[in-house]
Amino acid sequence: MGDVARRDLLSWIGKGALGAAVLGAVGHPAEASSGVTVLRGATLVDGTGRPPVRDATIVLAGDRILAAGRHRDVPRGARVVDLAGKYVIPGLWDLHTHATYFENTLAPLHVVQGVTGVREMFGLPETHDTRRRIESGEVLGPRMVVASAIVDGPGSIWPGSDVVRTPDEARAAVRRAKDGGADFVKVYSFLSPECHAAIADEARRVRIPFAGHVPARVPVQDALAQHTHEHLYNLFTSTSDNADALYAELRARPDDQADPNWWGRHAGRVERAAVATHSPARARELFAAMARQGTWQSPTLFVERNMSRSPESITGDPVALERMRYIPADLRAQWQAIMSGRPPRTPEEVAELRKFGDARMRLLGQMHEAGVGVVAGTDAGFAYVFPGFSLHDELALLVQAGLSPMAALRAATSEAARCLGRSHETGTVTPGKQADLVVLDANPLQDITNTSRVHAVVTRGRYLGPADRARVLREIEAAAQEPVDAPRTPVGCCEH
């Protein structure tokens, strides 16, 4: 099973409307014929936004999709997998992750939960090494888009950051990122407005995107050239009736050399207070400008919601405790140390932070309605944000914020691919695309939480059925107990 004669594959491809376009996408038929898999009988939600196709047939050859839809004929000799009663969606993308260089645990954990692609937000040498091993087939892991080292200003708390103090230094950092093989430049919260503007100009000149935090002293209106904005930072400050005065205050305040996280705490307090002076008219104007510019929002709702809780409620959460067995022992210890260093919160403080979080979610819903592109990202690898698992939590929160289940699903599939400039190769279950798919036990359009009911995963054309997934999870759990010599995962920037 699975070996298809070259002439049979050519004959099948030549039927109907497939022809040369698909043949070109999959390469030489002699290569594709060695591994043809047919998924038959499921309902296909292809990620394009079109209505689902019931009783669909999906034909995969190597790492490409040959056909997807209502096809009756299939190549002779193909492996046929009956998926009656199941649902097939494109492989999911998490566009904000960290620490995938834990390649025996975090990398495969993404995949078995249906996350077949990630955007790594800190490009350490180890991250590039892991990507190479995944691409060569040595390691099971997601496709990876990799950032530069973080480009930040004085006071940066990330070890290994490229700290810049002047526009000339900022421009040089962009060139270093490009020469170092980064897919994009990652910017952070402590950059000065002048350095941020220099990064925008140099990135445009050398043709590399830049993305990340909108710096604390930069209004969102001045960051529209930044390809993605992470975490919904600065939105209330930027849409306040008092925005000019608030930013003047932020820029006038000196750094606190004794407290490197001073900016994170202070900017967060200013942002929360700005809810009271929020201007819907300024927000509409900003969102219209973002939509025109093509600026994307990666809200990372799950980590923001999680960090609004009191630490003991996170560490004692039964769901977190169950997932923790897949996290490497060294990383688990770091997460626990992070939480033990956070002060407990009173019920009143938690309620206030939850209220602020709800306001941000309403703003995100308005942003989406205004046509701003929204993509799904989690901050996976940060404390108690679990690779693979937390993307499903994120999709549920996107729906709570006002996106439809279809829009939330597309935020992790076709919209993610469009954001990455990879719509030609990923994001939908359509002929010619990469063979990354997820098979679900229930309909995600009826209830978005059904994306977590993973039955099987196809990654690079490799079908991981229930037994395969169970085996990989056992291997991850065993590997998580072994000591690993890996970089220390930073704690992140901003207090909540």
Side-chain angles (χ1 to χ4, degrees):
M1 293 294 287
D3 267 348
V4 179
R6 179 176 181 271
R7 66 167 179 252
D8 289 339
L9 184 61
L10 277 171
S11 173
W12 178 82
I13 288 174
K15 295 177 182 178
L18 297 173
V22 170
L23 195 59
V26 300
H28 197 280
E31 299 169 4
S33 65
S34 63
V36 177
T37 299
V38 176
L39 309 180
R40 175 170 268 174
T43 296
L44 171 61
V45 182
D46 67 8
T48 65
R50 293 192 292 254
V53 177
R54 297 185 183 281
D55 193 20
T57 299
I58 303 162
V59 182
L60 313 174
D63 186 23
R64 293 288 167 171
I65 299 168
L66 286 187
R70 291 185 178 279
H71 300 278
R72 296 294 89 194
D73 294 329
V74 299
R76 288 191 300 174
R79 175 194 183 192
V80 178
V81 181
D82 181 10
L83 295 175
K86 307 298 182 184
Y87 292 78
V88 173
I89 62 173
L92 300 168
W93 277 87
D94 186 337
L95 291 201
H96 193 122
T97 68
H98 297 281
T100 303
Y101 47 72
F102 285 96
E103 54 186 49
N104 292 328
T105 49
L106 302 197
L109 192 56
H110 280 295
V111 172
V112 294
Q113 297 303 325
V115 177
T116 56
V118 302
R119 185 176 60 153
E120 274 283 291
M121 299 302 289
F122 194 171
L124 296 169
E126 292 85 355
T127 310
H128 288 276
D129 291 342
T130 293
R131 175 163 65 173
R132 283 191 288 270
R133 281 192 282 273
I134 291 171
E135 294 293 335
S136 70
E138 298 171 61
V139 172
L140 175 63
R143 302 182 195 272
M144 294 173 67
V145 174
V146 180
S148 66
I150 287 175
V151 181
D152 204 0
S156 180
I157 63 171
W158 285 71
S161 291
D162 195 342
V163 174
V164 299
R165 295 169 175 81
T166 68
D168 284 347
E169 290 180 355
R171 291 176 184 277
V174 172
R175 295 192 295 273
R176 281 193 292 274
K178 174 102 174 182
D179 293 345
D183 296 311
F184 64 99
V185 178
K186 168 69 182 292
V187 296
Y188 214 65
S189 294
F190 300 90
L191 283 168
S192 70
E194 295 77 17
C195 286
H196 186 266
I199 288 168
D201 186 63
E202 190 69 11
R204 180 173 56 250
R205 191 185 72 80
V206 303
R207 298 185 178 181
I208 186 172
F210 77 108
H213 294 200
V214 176
R217 288 168 280 189
V218 175
V220 175
Q221 290 88 341
D222 293 346
L224 298 186
Q226 187 172 312
H227 189 60
T228 64
H229 295 178
E230 309 296 314
H231 311 304
L232 296 171
Y233 287 165
N234 302 15
L235 282 167
F236 283 109
T237 309
S238 297
T239 59
S240 167
D241 281 326
N242 299 332
D244 291 345
L246 293 175
Y247 278 105
E249 175 195 343
L250 283 168
R251 290 170 180 169
R253 284 180 174 264
D255 293 335
D256 184 346
Q257 299 300 323
D259 183 0
N261 202 26
W262 179 89
W263 273 110
R265 276 189 287 274
H266 185 69
R269 287 193 292 267
V270 170
E271 175 76 357
R272 291 192 294 275
V275 175
T277 56
H278 171 68
S279 166
R282 286 178 65 96
R284 287 192 296 271
E285 183 178 342
L286 172 60
F287 299 160
M290 292 177 72
R292 285 193 304 271
Q293 178 72 24
T295 308
W296 295 81
Q297 177 60 241
S298 173
T300 65
L301 297 173
F302 176 75
V303 67
E304 300 298 323
R305 178 61 61 94
N306 213 28
M307 290 302 108
S308 71
R309 301 162 61 189
S310 199
E312 70 280 358
S313 71
I314 299 172
T315 58
D317 187 319
V319 173
L321 291 171
E322 169 63 21
R323 296 173 178 179
M324 201 65 127
R325 58 185 168 144
Y326 302 115
I327 302 303
D330 293 350
L331 184 58
R332 195 184 316 151
Q334 290 179 34
W335 288 8
Q336 290 164 345
I338 290 168
M339 287 300 157
S340 65
R342 297 175 72 98
R345 290 197 170 108
T346 67
E348 292 77 19
E349 289 171 331
V350 171
E352 188 63 29
L353 288 169
R354 177 59 67 92
K355 183 179 177 181
F356 173 64
D358 290 344
R360 297 172 94 185
M361 289 178 70
R362 287 193 297 272
L363 205 60
L364 176 64
Q366 295 163 17
M367 188 183 297
H368 171 68
E369 286 296 317
V372 177
V374 175
V375 292
T378 65
D379 229 349
F382 178 73
Y384 291 83
V385 185
F386 296 87
F389 294 101
S390 290
L391 185 67
H392 303 289
D393 302 323
E394 185 73 16
L395 296 183
L397 287 170
L398 288 175
V399 170
Q400 288 183 35
L403 278 68
S404 68
M406 177 68 86
L409 183 63
R410 295 186 69 195
T413 56
S414 56
E415 288 294 275
R418 192 161 71 89
C419 176
L420 295 172
R422 297 191 172 202
S423 292
H424 61 290
E425 61 187 6
T426 187
T428 60
V429 185
T430 48
K433 298 291 179 71
Q434 292 166 336
D436 297 330
L437 307 93
V438 188
V439 182
L440 305 175
D441 285 326
N443 185 356
L445 302 184
Q446 187 175 67
D447 182 345
I448 194 62
T449 64
N450 286 334
T451 62
S452 66
R453 298 180 62 183
V454 177
H455 173 78
V457 177
V458 179
T459 176
R460 303 169 192 265
R462 176 185 174 188
Y463 185 85
L464 299 175
D468 300 309
R469 291 184 63 247
R471 172 183 53 77
V472 173
L473 284 168
R474 288 194 299 271
E475 291 171 354
I476 294 170
E477 186 174 2
Q481 310 313 312
E482 299 297 325
V484 177
D485 183 17
R488 184 168 181 81
T489 300
V491 301
C493 163
C494 298
E495 294 282 344
H496 299 268

mmCIF file of all heavy atoms in Angstrom, residues 196 210-212 214 220-230 235 286-298 367-368 370-375 415 418-419:
data_model
loop_
_atom_site.group_PDB
_atom_site.id
_atom_site.type_symbol
_atom_site.label_atom_id
_atom_site.label_comp_id
_atom_site.label_asym_id
_atom_site.label_seq_id
_atom_site.Cartn_x
_atom_site.Cartn_y
_atom_site.Cartn_z
ATOM 1 N N HIS A 196 13.203 53.315 16.866
ATOM 2 C CA HIS A 196 12.125 52.572 16.209
ATOM 3 C C HIS A 196 11.911 53.094 14.787
ATOM 4 O O HIS A 196 11.762 52.308 13.834
ATOM 5 C CB HIS A 196 10.836 52.694 17.026
ATOM 6 C CG HIS A 196 9.710 51.856 16.498
ATOM 7 N ND1 HIS A 196 8.769 52.352 15.630
ATOM 8 C CD2 HIS A 196 9.378 50.553 16.725
ATOM 9 C CE1 HIS A 196 7.892 51.406 15.346
ATOM 10 N NE2 HIS A 196 8.236 50.301 15.988
ATOM 11 N N PHE A 210 9.697 43.896 9.887
ATOM 12 C CA PHE A 210 9.978 43.946 11.320
ATOM 13 C C PHE A 210 8.660 43.853 12.078
ATOM 14 O O PHE A 210 7.605 44.259 11.595
ATOM 15 C CB PHE A 210 10.817 45.164 11.707
ATOM 16 C CG PHE A 210 10.097 46.491 11.773
ATOM 17 C CD1 PHE A 210 9.832 47.097 12.994
ATOM 18 C CD2 PHE A 210 9.706 47.143 10.613
ATOM 19 C CE1 PHE A 210 9.197 48.327 13.068
ATOM 20 C CE2 PHE A 210 9.080 48.376 10.669
ATOM 21 C CZ PHE A 210 8.816 48.972 11.900
ATOM 22 N N ALA A 211 8.737 43.267 13.266
ATOM 23 C CA ALA A 211 7.536 42.913 14.011
ATOM 24 C C ALA A 211 7.884 42.831 15.487
ATOM 25 O O ALA A 211 9.044 42.787 15.864
ATOM 26 C CB ALA A 211 6.992 41.558 13.524
ATOM 27 N N GLY A 212 6.854 42.817 16.332
ATOM 28 C CA GLY A 212 7.077 42.653 17.770
ATOM 29 C C GLY A 212 6.252 43.612 18.583
ATOM 30 O O GLY A 212 5.147 44.002 18.194
ATOM 31 N N VAL A 214 5.013 47.055 20.100
ATOM 32 C CA VAL A 214 5.074 48.495 19.867
ATOM 33 C C VAL A 214 5.738 49.074 21.111
ATOM 34 O O VAL A 214 5.238 48.909 22.229
ATOM 35 C CB VAL A 214 3.678 49.097 19.666
ATOM 36 C CG1 VAL A 214 3.774 50.616 19.512
ATOM 37 C CG2 VAL A 214 3.005 48.487 18.438
ATOM 38 N N VAL A 220 0.827 53.848 18.745
ATOM 39 C CA VAL A 220 0.529 52.849 17.720
ATOM 40 C C VAL A 220 0.428 53.514 16.347
ATOM 41 O O VAL A 220 0.819 52.936 15.327
ATOM 42 C CB VAL A 220 -0.757 52.085 18.085
ATOM 43 C CG1 VAL A 220 -1.152 51.124 16.968
ATOM 44 C CG2 VAL A 220 -0.564 51.323 19.390
ATOM 45 N N GLN A 221 -0.078 54.734 16.306
ATOM 46 C CA GLN A 221 -0.198 55.462 15.032
ATOM 47 C C GLN A 221 1.149 55.651 14.352
ATOM 48 O O GLN A 221 1.209 55.794 13.121
ATOM 49 C CB GLN A 221 -0.843 56.836 15.266
ATOM 50 C CG GLN A 221 -2.314 56.789 15.630
ATOM 51 C CD GLN A 221 -2.541 56.658 17.134
ATOM 52 O OE1 GLN A 221 -1.644 56.253 17.884
ATOM 53 N NE2 GLN A 221 -3.733 56.987 17.583
ATOM 54 N N ASP A 222 2.248 55.666 15.122
ATOM 55 C CA ASP A 222 3.581 55.852 14.558
ATOM 56 C C ASP A 222 4.275 54.528 14.257
ATOM 57 O O ASP A 222 5.447 54.522 13.877
ATOM 58 C CB ASP A 222 4.451 56.662 15.529
ATOM 59 C CG ASP A 222 3.977 58.096 15.678
ATOM 60 O OD1 ASP A 222 3.143 58.549 14.849
ATOM 61 O OD2 ASP A 222 4.416 58.769 16.628
ATOM 62 N N ALA A 223 3.569 53.423 14.426
ATOM 63 C CA ALA A 223 4.176 52.099 14.233
ATOM 64 C C ALA A 223 3.476 51.303 13.136
ATOM 65 O O ALA A 223 3.539 50.077 13.116
ATOM 66 C CB ALA A 223 4.139 51.315 15.553
ATOM 67 N N LEU A 224 2.833 51.985 12.207
ATOM 68 C CA LEU A 224 2.042 51.273 11.196
ATOM 69 C C LEU A 224 2.916 50.538 10.189
ATOM 70 O O LEU A 224 2.449 49.594 9.540
ATOM 71 C CB LEU A 224 1.108 52.244 10.476
ATOM 72 C CG LEU A 224 0.059 52.941 11.350
ATOM 73 C CD1 LEU A 224 -0.888 53.755 10.490
ATOM 74 C CD2 LEU A 224 -0.720 51.938 12.192
ATOM 75 N N ALA A 225 4.180 50.943 10.052
ATOM 76 C CA ALA A 225 5.080 50.206 9.156
ATOM 77 C C ALA A 225 5.514 48.875 9.758
ATOM 78 O O ALA A 225 6.052 48.021 9.043
ATOM 79 C CB ALA A 225 6.311 51.052 8.838
ATOM 80 N N GLN A 226 5.290 48.687 11.042
ATOM 81 C CA GLN A 226 5.648 47.437 11.733
ATOM 82 C C GLN A 226 4.661 46.357 11.302
ATOM 83 O O GLN A 226 3.456 46.535 11.426
ATOM 84 C CB GLN A 226 5.584 47.681 13.239
ATOM 85 C CG GLN A 226 6.096 46.538 14.069
ATOM 86 C CD GLN A 226 6.186 46.927 15.539
ATOM 87 O OE1 GLN A 226 6.710 47.984 15.877
ATOM 88 N NE2 GLN A 226 5.671 46.072 16.405
ATOM 89 N N HIS A 227 5.170 45.245 10.810
ATOM 90 C CA HIS A 227 4.308 44.263 10.143
ATOM 91 C C HIS A 227 3.265 43.669 11.075
ATOM 92 O O HIS A 227 2.098 43.557 10.718
ATOM 93 C CB HIS A 227 5.162 43.152 9.532
ATOM 94 C CG HIS A 227 4.379 42.227 8.660
ATOM 95 N ND1 HIS A 227 3.695 42.651 7.542
ATOM 96 C CD2 HIS A 227 4.153 40.884 8.751
ATOM 97 C CE1 HIS A 227 3.097 41.626 6.975
ATOM 98 N NE2 HIS A 227 3.361 40.545 7.689
ATOM 99 N N THR A 228 3.682 43.262 12.276
ATOM 100 C CA THR A 228 2.710 42.809 13.279
ATOM 101 C C THR A 228 2.942 43.529 14.587
ATOM 102 O O THR A 228 4.079 43.852 14.946
ATOM 103 C CB THR A 228 2.776 41.281 13.547
ATOM 104 O OG1 THR A 228 4.038 40.949 14.115
ATOM 105 C CG2 THR A 228 2.531 40.481 12.289
ATOM 106 N N HIS A 229 1.854 43.787 15.283
ATOM 107 C CA HIS A 229 1.871 44.323 16.640
ATOM 108 C C HIS A 229 1.471 43.184 17.574
ATOM 109 O O HIS A 229 0.425 42.552 17.377
ATOM 110 C CB HIS A 229 0.879 45.478 16.779
ATOM 111 C CG HIS A 229 1.221 46.679 15.960
ATOM 112 N ND1 HIS A 229 0.420 47.800 15.922
ATOM 113 C CD2 HIS A 229 2.280 46.949 15.152
ATOM 114 C CE1 HIS A 229 0.958 48.704 15.121
ATOM 115 N NE2 HIS A 229 2.085 48.209 14.643
ATOM 116 N N GLU A 230 2.284 42.958 18.593
ATOM 117 C CA GLU A 230 2.049 41.835 19.501
ATOM 118 C C GLU A 230 1.410 42.304 20.804
ATOM 119 O O GLU A 230 1.743 43.371 21.318
ATOM 120 C CB GLU A 230 3.371 41.129 19.814
ATOM 121 C CG GLU A 230 4.177 40.748 18.579
ATOM 122 C CD GLU A 230 3.495 39.734 17.681
ATOM 123 O OE1 GLU A 230 2.971 38.727 18.204
ATOM 124 O OE2 GLU A 230 3.472 39.953 16.457
ATOM 125 N N LEU A 235 -2.695 50.255 23.026
ATOM 126 C CA LEU A 235 -3.875 50.661 22.262
ATOM 127 C C LEU A 235 -4.724 51.698 22.988
ATOM 128 O O LEU A 235 -5.221 52.646 22.367
ATOM 129 C CB LEU A 235 -4.718 49.433 21.906
ATOM 130 C CG LEU A 235 -4.177 48.617 20.735
ATOM 131 C CD1 LEU A 235 -4.876 47.279 20.646
ATOM 132 C CD2 LEU A 235 -4.334 49.398 19.431
ATOM 133 N N LEU A 286 -7.634 55.035 13.935
ATOM 134 C CA LEU A 286 -6.440 54.185 14.002
ATOM 135 C C LEU A 286 -6.661 52.866 13.273
ATOM 136 O O LEU A 286 -5.813 52.432 12.479
ATOM 137 C CB LEU A 286 -6.068 53.925 15.458
ATOM 138 C CG LEU A 286 -4.955 52.887 15.690
ATOM 139 C CD1 LEU A 286 -3.658 53.302 15.009
ATOM 140 C CD2 LEU A 286 -4.730 52.677 17.185
ATOM 141 N N PHE A 287 -7.795 52.217 13.523
ATOM 142 C CA PHE A 287 -8.036 50.910 12.911
ATOM 143 C C PHE A 287 -8.147 51.031 11.394
ATOM 144 O O PHE A 287 -7.685 50.146 10.649
ATOM 145 C CB PHE A 287 -9.284 50.266 13.499
ATOM 146 C CG PHE A 287 -9.198 50.017 14.988
ATOM 147 C CD1 PHE A 287 -10.353 49.842 15.741
ATOM 148 C CD2 PHE A 287 -7.979 49.954 15.636
ATOM 149 C CE1 PHE A 287 -10.289 49.624 17.100
ATOM 150 C CE2 PHE A 287 -7.892 49.729 17.002
ATOM 151 C CZ PHE A 287 -9.055 49.566 17.735
ATOM 152 N N ALA A 288 -8.754 52.107 10.918
ATOM 153 C CA ALA A 288 -8.831 52.319 9.472
ATOM 154 C C ALA A 288 -7.433 52.474 8.884
ATOM 155 O O ALA A 288 -7.129 51.944 7.800
ATOM 156 C CB ALA A 288 -9.688 53.544 9.167
ATOM 157 N N ALA A 289 -6.559 53.180 9.592
ATOM 158 C CA ALA A 289 -5.189 53.350 9.113
ATOM 159 C C ALA A 289 -4.436 52.024 9.121
ATOM 160 O O ALA A 289 -3.664 51.728 8.189
ATOM 161 C CB ALA A 289 -4.468 54.384 9.980
ATOM 162 N N MET A 290 -4.628 51.210 10.153
ATOM 163 C CA MET A 290 -3.980 49.902 10.203
ATOM 164 C C MET A 290 -4.442 49.028 9.048
ATOM 165 O O MET A 290 -3.642 48.326 8.417
ATOM 166 C CB MET A 290 -4.273 49.220 11.548
ATOM 167 C CG MET A 290 -3.625 49.893 12.742
ATOM 168 S SD MET A 290 -4.061 49.094 14.324
ATOM 169 C CE MET A 290 -3.116 47.565 14.197
ATOM 170 N N ALA A 291 -5.745 49.043 8.776
ATOM 171 C CA ALA A 291 -6.283 48.233 7.686
ATOM 172 C C ALA A 291 -5.714 48.691 6.341
ATOM 173 O O ALA A 291 -5.351 47.868 5.493
ATOM 174 C CB ALA A 291 -7.808 48.306 7.693
ATOM 175 N N ARG A 292 -5.629 50.008 6.130
ATOM 176 C CA ARG A 292 -5.070 50.511 4.870
ATOM 177 C C ARG A 292 -3.609 50.124 4.702
ATOM 178 O O ARG A 292 -3.160 49.759 3.611
ATOM 179 C CB ARG A 292 -5.191 52.041 4.820
ATOM 180 C CG ARG A 292 -6.581 52.560 4.551
ATOM 181 C CD ARG A 292 -6.546 54.047 4.193
ATOM 182 N NE ARG A 292 -5.898 54.871 5.206
ATOM 183 C CZ ARG A 292 -6.524 55.431 6.237
ATOM 184 N NH1 ARG A 292 -7.841 55.236 6.393
ATOM 185 N NH2 ARG A 292 -5.865 56.178 7.105
ATOM 186 N N GLN A 293 -2.867 50.200 5.793
ATOM 187 C CA GLN A 293 -1.435 49.920 5.751
ATOM 188 C C GLN A 293 -1.144 48.433 5.645
ATOM 189 O O GLN A 293 -0.083 48.024 5.171
ATOM 190 C CB GLN A 293 -0.759 50.487 7.010
ATOM 191 C CG GLN A 293 0.725 50.237 7.123
ATOM 192 C CD GLN A 293 1.541 51.069 6.156
ATOM 193 O OE1 GLN A 293 1.092 52.122 5.703
ATOM 194 N NE2 GLN A 293 2.729 50.597 5.827
ATOM 195 N N GLY A 294 -2.075 47.602 6.080
ATOM 196 C CA GLY A 294 -1.829 46.158 6.135
ATOM 197 C C GLY A 294 -1.062 45.746 7.376
ATOM 198 O O GLY A 294 -0.327 44.753 7.361
ATOM 199 N N THR A 295 -1.242 46.496 8.459
ATOM 200 C CA THR A 295 -0.609 46.178 9.739
ATOM 201 C C THR A 295 -1.432 45.110 10.445
ATOM 202 O O THR A 295 -2.649 45.236 10.576
ATOM 203 C CB THR A 295 -0.534 47.429 10.627
ATOM 204 O OG1 THR A 295 0.078 48.488 9.885
ATOM 205 C CG2 THR A 295 0.255 47.160 11.889
ATOM 206 N N TRP A 296 -0.790 44.056 10.903
ATOM 207 C CA TRP A 296 -1.472 42.920 11.523
ATOM 208 C C TRP A 296 -1.415 43.026 13.051
ATOM 209 O O TRP A 296 -0.472 43.566 13.614
ATOM 210 C CB TRP A 296 -0.828 41.605 11.100
ATOM 211 C CG TRP A 296 -0.969 41.316 9.650
ATOM 212 C CD1 TRP A 296 -0.209 41.816 8.623
ATOM 213 C CD2 TRP A 296 -1.937 40.452 9.040
ATOM 214 N NE1 TRP A 296 -0.641 41.319 7.422
ATOM 215 C CE2 TRP A 296 -1.684 40.477 7.645
ATOM 216 C CE3 TRP A 296 -2.957 39.654 9.537
ATOM 217 C CZ2 TRP A 296 -2.444 39.732 6.736
ATOM 218 C CZ3 TRP A 296 -3.719 38.905 8.639
ATOM 219 C CH2 TRP A 296 -3.471 38.946 7.254
ATOM 220 N N GLN A 297 -2.426 42.441 13.686
ATOM 221 C CA GLN A 297 -2.472 42.357 15.140
ATOM 222 C C GLN A 297 -2.380 40.890 15.574
ATOM 223 O O GLN A 297 -3.143 40.044 15.107
ATOM 224 C CB GLN A 297 -3.761 42.961 15.679
ATOM 225 C CG GLN A 297 -3.934 42.868 17.182
ATOM 226 C CD GLN A 297 -2.839 43.575 17.955
ATOM 227 O OE1 GLN A 297 -2.117 42.962 18.725
ATOM 228 N NE2 GLN A 297 -2.719 44.892 17.755
ATOM 229 N N SER A 298 -1.413 40.608 16.453
ATOM 230 C CA SER A 298 -1.261 39.284 17.064
ATOM 231 C C SER A 298 -1.531 39.447 18.555
ATOM 232 O O SER A 298 -0.632 39.784 19.324
ATOM 233 C CB SER A 298 0.158 38.756 16.819
ATOM 234 O OG SER A 298 0.395 37.555 17.532
ATOM 235 N N MET A 367 -11.530 46.085 16.218
ATOM 236 C CA MET A 367 -10.424 46.113 15.264
ATOM 237 C C MET A 367 -10.672 45.132 14.122
ATOM 238 O O MET A 367 -10.501 45.455 12.932
ATOM 239 C CB MET A 367 -9.125 45.774 16.008
ATOM 240 C CG MET A 367 -7.869 45.941 15.198
ATOM 241 S SD MET A 367 -6.397 45.419 16.133
ATOM 242 C CE MET A 367 -6.413 46.572 17.488
ATOM 243 N N HIS A 368 -11.091 43.930 14.471
ATOM 244 C CA HIS A 368 -11.397 42.914 13.466
ATOM 245 C C HIS A 368 -12.532 43.383 12.559
ATOM 246 O O HIS A 368 -12.452 43.252 11.324
ATOM 247 C CB HIS A 368 -11.756 41.609 14.163
ATOM 248 C CG HIS A 368 -12.295 40.555 13.241
ATOM 249 N ND1 HIS A 368 -11.530 39.936 12.287
ATOM 250 C CD2 HIS A 368 -13.547 40.021 13.138
ATOM 251 C CE1 HIS A 368 -12.266 39.064 11.633
ATOM 252 N NE2 HIS A 368 -13.481 39.090 12.124
ATOM 253 N N ALA A 370 -13.263 46.315 11.796
ATOM 254 C CA ALA A 370 -12.770 47.412 10.968
ATOM 255 C C ALA A 370 -11.864 46.935 9.834
ATOM 256 O O ALA A 370 -11.418 47.749 9.017
ATOM 257 C CB ALA A 370 -12.027 48.420 11.834
ATOM 258 N N GLY A 371 -11.574 45.635 9.791
ATOM 259 C CA GLY A 371 -10.782 45.084 8.701
ATOM 260 C C GLY A 371 -9.306 44.913 8.987
ATOM 261 O O GLY A 371 -8.534 44.593 8.071
ATOM 262 N N VAL A 372 -8.901 45.103 10.242
ATOM 263 C CA VAL A 372 -7.498 44.852 10.601
ATOM 264 C C VAL A 372 -7.271 43.340 10.633
ATOM 265 O O VAL A 372 -8.071 42.596 11.209
ATOM 266 C CB VAL A 372 -7.154 45.477 11.966
ATOM 267 C CG1 VAL A 372 -5.714 45.151 12.360
ATOM 268 C CG2 VAL A 372 -7.379 46.988 11.932
ATOM 269 N N GLY A 373 -6.178 42.897 10.033
ATOM 270 C CA GLY A 373 -5.867 41.468 10.046
ATOM 271 C C GLY A 373 -5.487 40.996 11.437
ATOM 272 O O GLY A 373 -4.641 41.610 12.096
ATOM 273 N N VAL A 374 -6.122 39.910 11.886
ATOM 274 C CA VAL A 374 -5.854 39.333 13.202
ATOM 275 C C VAL A 374 -5.313 37.926 13.004
ATOM 276 O O VAL A 374 -5.899 37.130 12.257
ATOM 277 C CB VAL A 374 -7.131 39.296 14.063
ATOM 278 C CG1 VAL A 374 -6.877 38.577 15.391
ATOM 279 C CG2 VAL A 374 -7.656 40.708 14.311
ATOM 280 N N VAL A 375 -4.193 37.618 13.654
ATOM 281 C CA VAL A 375 -3.608 36.285 13.574
ATOM 282 C C VAL A 375 -3.483 35.692 14.974
ATOM 283 O O VAL A 375 -3.441 36.415 15.967
ATOM 284 C CB VAL A 375 -2.235 36.309 12.867
ATOM 285 C CG1 VAL A 375 -2.404 36.647 11.397
ATOM 286 C CG2 VAL A 375 -1.277 37.280 13.540
ATOM 287 N N GLU A 415 -5.194 33.209 7.143
ATOM 288 C CA GLU A 415 -4.767 34.563 7.483
ATOM 289 C C GLU A 415 -3.332 34.565 8.016
ATOM 290 O O GLU A 415 -2.559 35.483 7.735
ATOM 291 C CB GLU A 415 -5.720 35.191 8.502
ATOM 292 C CG GLU A 415 -7.079 35.557 7.930
ATOM 293 C CD GLU A 415 -6.984 36.669 6.905
ATOM 294 O OE1 GLU A 415 -6.993 37.858 7.293
ATOM 295 O OE2 GLU A 415 -6.890 36.354 5.703
ATOM 296 N N ARG A 418 -1.194 34.381 4.999
ATOM 297 C CA ARG A 418 -1.159 35.668 4.303
ATOM 298 C C ARG A 418 -0.251 36.649 5.036
ATOM 299 O O ARG A 418 0.526 37.387 4.423
ATOM 300 C CB ARG A 418 -2.579 36.209 4.174
ATOM 301 C CG ARG A 418 -2.703 37.393 3.227
ATOM 302 C CD ARG A 418 -4.144 37.581 2.788
ATOM 303 N NE ARG A 418 -4.992 38.071 3.844
ATOM 304 C CZ ARG A 418 -5.203 39.361 4.107
ATOM 305 N NH1 ARG A 418 -4.604 40.300 3.375
ATOM 306 N NH2 ARG A 418 -6.019 39.728 5.071
ATOM 307 N N CYS A 419 -0.336 36.668 6.358
ATOM 308 C CA CYS A 419 0.530 37.533 7.165
ATOM 309 C C CYS A 419 2.006 37.215 6.925
ATOM 310 O O CYS A 419 2.841 38.114 6.839
ATOM 311 C CB CYS A 419 0.178 37.376 8.641
ATOM 312 S SG CYS A 419 1.237 38.284 9.789
#
